[in-house]
Amino acid sequence: MSENLNVLTSTQAIIHEALNKLGYDEAMYELLKEPLRMLQVRIPVRMDDGSTKVYTGFRAQHNDAVGPTKGGVRFHPGVYEDEVKALSMWMTLKCGIVDLPYGGGKGGVICDPREMSMGELERLSRGYVRAVSQIVGPTKDIPAPDVMTNAQIMAWMMDEYSLMDEFNSPNFITGKPLVLGGSQGRDRATAQGVTIVIEEAAKKRGINIRGARVVIQGFGNAGSFLAKFMHDLGAKVIGISDAYGALHDPNGLDIDYLLDRRDSFGTVTTLFENTISNKELLELDCDILVPAAIENQITADNAHEIKANIVVEAANGPTTAEATKILTERGILLVPDVLASAGGVTVSYFEWVQNNQGYYWTKEEVEERLIKKMVDAFENVYTTATTRNIDMRLAAYMVGVRRTAEASRFRGWV
Ligand code: GLU
């Protein structure tokens, strides 16, 4: 039988198990197995050639018992409803793990920004905000960047919301450019969070980051900054990839050169002839493997071939449930997505707090607070996993879902 690659049903199964272990009954699972709200919208966009194209978009709000929902908006041709639902549930877990006063939300639009002009992208971004405007807002649901969306897109979205709101509303969205109320460090926050948990995981495994061989799948926002941070810490980044292929050099790649040559969507391998496949990249002999691209990359088919000592998930959902089991049984330390990639939403929260206060923090203040959040979260999940003798993913789900379950109970919902 082939394994379950549906990210929604596999997420539901782990949430179910986590709630059972925490002592909650079926009613709690019934509440948390799907988002409270899921809006599907159609967005007409005038294209540069004068034609109109109608795009499909989504916004899912998993649970707002703890506070407003929070999470990114992705622009990708492969976006689908169940994926957006699962992504919103993962945001609930992330916010729970790093202890932010939010529930999870997520949005997506089926489109390929690589094939759109800046004008078309701007009209799509503004159209998306108008389409979901009734259910989002600074105290309801706060969007942010995700796959193939960036600070410029956040700026257009913030501007559109402000026009509708007849008020300047920086706290409507996070991941904005600095001049529009963005936070210091937000652009690199996901990668910084990943770096912090890599350092913690390496300590547990007695691995010295200096000289460690690191492989990173994906060269987008998370992957590219991470390659830089690992390189600067003295690690040897021996493999990186993008959607089109991968590069490998056992002596370490020239990361600064690659960063210089990558385009804004993270494409760089097309400039080279000696590429390897993404499959070969994942199976390279290394100490630390970081999937930082998309879902279902480590599956039952290749989990036995992974040679890393530590796998840290910077992407959302890169490892299937079956593969999680195999890696754990093989003694590989897996740091799950909902923990490893929580640095982005953590600094988004800091950005929102600064917007609400109208008072802005220094880069050092942001960094210090981020390190504390991530180190505490790692320790909490790691201790839960070892004391209960469960895998890191289930431990992270237990830590992550607990607050939302408790808040739902206090509110009398279940
Ligand atoms: N899209 C990012 C994530 O998946 C960040 C979300 C946010 O900053 O709200 O965690």
Side-chain angles (χ1 to χ4, degrees):
M1 210 180 76
S2 66
E3 68 176 320
N4 179 14
L5 296 183
N6 181 311
V7 285
L8 178 59
T9 52
S10 54
T11 300
Q12 287 171 332
I14 316 173
I15 289 202
H16 203 176
E17 204 178 339
L19 287 171
N20 274 341
K21 281 210 182 295
L22 290 168
Y24 285 100
D25 59 13
E26 282 304 291
M28 189 60 82
Y29 174 63
E30 280 301 310
L31 176 71
L32 299 180
K33 74 177 189 186
E34 290 264 343
L36 287 177
R37 269 180 294 277
M38 175 66 178
L39 183 65
Q40 180 177 329
V41 295
R42 295 280 285 159
I43 311 158
V45 176
R46 184 62 44 86
M47 306 306 278
D48 289 349
D49 66 4
S51 67
T52 298
K53 215 165 155 178
V54 186
Y55 292 90
T56 297
F58 304 95
R59 186 74 194 172
Q61 300 175 341
H62 176 236
N63 188 288
D64 54 10
V66 170
T69 49
K70 179 93 191 78
V73 182
R74 62 173 55 183
F75 284 0
H76 193 274
V79 167
Y80 61 102
E81 188 177 342
D82 274 3
E83 177 197 46
V84 179
K85 284 185 179 178
L87 284 160
S88 75
M89 293 157 79
W90 295 338
M91 288 311 302
T92 293
L93 298 168
K94 286 188 207 189
C95 294
I97 289 168
V98 278
D99 199 14
L100 310 179
Y102 293 137
K106 196 78 172 202
V109 178
I110 306 170
C111 66
D112 194 342
R114 289 166 295 200
E115 289 168 3
M116 297 171 74
S117 71
M118 288 293 272
E120 290 165 348
L121 261 183
E122 176 176 353
R123 293 190 286 279
L124 176 63
S125 306
R126 290 181 184 277
Y128 177 77
V129 169
R130 287 195 301 274
V132 300
S133 62
Q134 291 187 349
I135 65 164
V136 294
T139 54
K140 286 202 265 187
D141 180 13
I142 305 129
D146 198 73
V147 174
M148 286 204 272
T149 53
N150 55 25
Q152 174 62 77
I153 291 175
M154 299 305 109
W156 290 323
M157 290 186 172
M158 191 275 262
D159 187 62
E160 190 65 23
Y161 189 83
S162 298
L163 289 172
M164 280 188 297
D165 203 28
E166 296 179 350
F167 209 82
N168 190 31
S169 320
N171 53 357
F172 159 66
I173 201 163
T174 58
K176 301 176 294 292
L178 282 179
V179 286
L180 293 182
S183 175
Q184 292 287 347
R186 175 61 187 87
D187 55 353
R188 63 211 55 208
T190 306
Q192 213 153 35
V194 176
T195 305
I196 297 163
V197 296
I198 287 177
E199 289 181 301
E200 295 306 301
K203 274 187 224 158
K204 300 285 183 201
R205 284 296 162 104
I207 293 176
N208 192 345
I209 298 282
R210 183 161 280 284
R213 294 160 308 152
V214 179
V215 169
I216 302 170
Q217 184 197 33
F219 216 48
N221 174 270
S224 62
F225 273 118
L226 181 67
K228 176 79 181 141
F229 294 153
M230 288 291 106
H231 179 72
D232 290 350
L233 285 172
K236 236 196 287 177
V237 181
I238 62 165
I240 64 112
S241 75
D242 58 26
Y244 306 96
L247 303 173
H248 174 220
D249 183 344
N251 297 315
L253 295 160
D254 185 345
I255 294 303
D256 287 325
Y257 176 73
L258 296 174
L259 288 172
D260 195 46
R261 300 303 306 274
R262 88 188 255 286
D263 75 10
S264 62
F265 297 110
T267 304
V268 71
T269 65
T270 45
L271 302 172
F272 296 85
E273 271 170 14
N274 279 341
T275 57
I276 59 172
S277 68
N278 258 286
K279 178 176 159 27
E280 290 167 311
L281 176 98
L282 293 171
E283 296 171 9
L284 285 175
D285 193 6
C286 66
D287 301 300
I288 300 163
L289 170 65
V290 185
I294 48 170
E295 288 116 53
N296 293 332
Q297 297 300 299
I298 305 178
T299 67
D301 287 339
N302 62 356
H304 285 288
E305 313 308 325
I306 302 296
K307 296 179 188 67
N309 188 326
I310 300 172
V311 174
V312 179
E313 299 179 333
N316 288 307
T319 314
T320 63
E322 194 61 29
T324 300
K325 219 155 89 204
I326 297 169
L327 296 183
T328 307
E329 276 165 14
R330 292 183 55 218
I332 295 172
L333 176 56
L334 174 72
V335 187
D337 48 6
V338 287
L339 165 61
S341 72
V345 69
T346 300
V347 178
S348 272
Y349 166 61
F350 296 160
E351 181 173 331
W352 181 75
V353 168
Q354 292 170 76
N355 293 151
N356 288 339
Q357 293 180 329
Y359 180 77
Y360 289 84
W361 309 349
T362 63
K363 189 167 158 270
E364 289 72 30
E365 284 171 310
V366 170
E367 212 168 282
E368 192 186 313
R369 288 175 162 104
L370 174 64
I371 293 171
K372 171 141 184 45
K373 282 274 188 207
M374 294 303 298
V375 170
D376 288 354
F378 180 90
E379 214 36 61
N380 197 359
V381 172
Y382 188 83
T383 310
T384 304
T386 40
T387 52
R388 291 188 176 247
N389 197 20
I390 54 177
D391 68 60
M392 286 283 281
R393 192 181 311 282
L394 180 56
Y397 274 54
M398 286 180 68
V399 173
V401 81
R402 174 182 263 140
R403 252 176 11 141
T404 291
E406 259 179 44
S408 301
R409 163 111 338 139
F410 271 123
R411 281 179 186 264
W413 291 356
V414 177

